[in-house]
Amino acid sequence: MSDAVLELRNIARHYREGEARLDILVDANLAIYPGETVALVAPSGAGKSTLLHIAGLLERQDSGETLINSAPTSSMSDNDRTRLRRDAIGFIYQFHHLLPEFTALENIVVPQMICGLARKEAEARAQQLLEYLRLGPRASHRPSELSGGEQQRVAIARAVANAPHLLLADEPTGNLDPRTAEHVFATLMTLARHSGLAALIATHNLDLAKQMDRRVTLRDGRIEELT
Ligand SMILES: Nc1ncnc2c1ncn2[C@@H]1O[C@H](COP(=O)(O)OP(=O)(O)OP(=O)(O)O)[C@@H](O)[C@H]1O
């Protein structure tokens, strides 16, 4: 088997709440390989977002190691982590977080230009992704002029525009009605499989989780496989 895109080794993370210590992650271990889609299904408060933030280099673990494409990240500087995050990781959130003053196309162009791509190439890639997601005619619309499902499809396009190796999503369809959620999720799965990227997607929706290659949960701060 090829090397893992994401590997979490013995991850521990706690928060303080006044005098109390909350041990959210105790000894979390997970490896995700190229082309693999993994659902993270766990009750509210179990630590899904914490895990995704650590995997996405947005937050540091207290102990353990997060490896991206086999590179250990804990001793990296914040700047190096930011660079690696930009180059290798795409994020999708429950709420789209699109820039309201920019069009759908521009929202997909901006992160590519931040990564150093020329505007012309970035626009061509954005237009191609919008066509693929059947949003071509919506390219010049602002987020407020798009439906919830369309907004989330633009957020998906933005997340994959830089051709990341790892896609992380926190309840990406949690804000959508069931039919739209089904459609957006199917689009996400097709795109993930088509691009061969590794995906870790937190969801409460078991029907959607079943469409992924593997399902894991968080129990007492540890990751367990679900059958
Ligand atoms: N910065 C923080 N400071 C203190 N406690 C925190 C912090 N971030 C998260 N927590 C607590 O850690 C626990 C896990 O939070 P987390 O957001 O990771 O859970 P979750 O599984 O994503 O929940 P949900 O499904 O409701 O989004 C919660 O009890 C939360 O209140």
Side-chain angles (χ1 to χ4, degrees):
M1 198 178 257
S2 57
D3 292 336
V5 177
L6 168 69
E7 191 177 346
L8 300 174
R9 276 190 202 155
N10 310 115
I11 299 291
R13 180 81 173 105
H14 75 274
Y15 297 118
R16 294 228 162 259
E17 210 171 56
E19 295 286 287
R21 175 189 160 114
L22 302 173
D23 285 296
I24 304 303
L25 302 173
V26 175
D27 184 15
N29 291 278
L30 181 68
I32 307 185
Y33 293 87
E36 208 181 18
T37 58
V38 179
L40 176 58
V41 188
S44 187
K48 299 182 296 299
S49 300
T50 303
L51 189 86
L52 287 170
H53 289 163
I54 288 172
L57 312 181
L58 290 165
E59 198 174 318
R60 287 180 187 265
Q61 61 270 10
D62 300 326
S63 61
E65 186 59 274
T66 300
L67 298 100
I68 304 289
N69 291 326
S70 303
T73 59
S74 62
S75 57
M76 283 183 184
S77 67
D78 287 344
N79 279 347
D80 284 347
R81 284 164 61 94
T82 300
R83 211 167 295 124
L84 180 57
R85 182 164 64 240
R86 276 200 204 136
D87 290 345
I89 305 174
F91 280 95
I92 306 167
Y93 301 93
Q94 179 170 358
F95 299 97
H96 55 76
H97 291 305
L98 295 173
L99 300 168
E101 67 277 23
F102 288 117
T103 65
L105 186 95
E106 288 162 349
N107 265 283
I108 305 166
V109 165
V110 168
Q112 295 182 81
M113 289 181 67
I114 291 172
C115 276
L117 210 69
R119 177 183 287 273
K120 221 170 148 196
E121 275 104 74
E123 282 180 352
R125 166 95 175 133
Q127 192 64 47
Q128 191 187 25
L129 276 165
L130 285 171
E131 302 291 343
Y132 185 81
L133 297 170
R134 297 210 212 105
L135 284 170
R138 297 276 182 274
S140 57
H141 289 222
R142 293 204 162 78
S144 61
E145 299 161 341
L146 299 171
S147 73
E150 288 169 344
Q151 289 167 351
Q152 207 53 338
R153 271 146 66 211
V154 175
I156 291 171
R158 178 186 54 182
V160 301
N162 285 330
H165 299 129
L166 176 64
L167 183 68
L168 300 171
D170 201 350
E171 291 285 348
T173 59
N175 188 35
L176 305 174
D177 65 77
R179 237 178 102 220
T180 309
E182 182 77 37
H183 177 230
V184 168
F185 193 81
T187 306
L188 180 54
M189 282 300 97
T190 309
L191 199 58
R193 294 200 167 111
H194 179 78
S195 337
L197 45 76
L200 179 60
I201 302 180
T203 178
H204 283 114
N205 187 324
L206 281 176
D207 289 334
L208 299 183
K210 279 183 191 144
Q211 296 173 35
M212 301 179 67
D213 297 326
R214 277 200 292 141
R215 284 146 293 284
V216 297
T217 192
L218 273 166
R219 199 164 288 137
D220 300 329
R222 292 178 173 78
I223 293 176
E224 292 180 6
E225 297 280 331
L226 290 171
T227 47

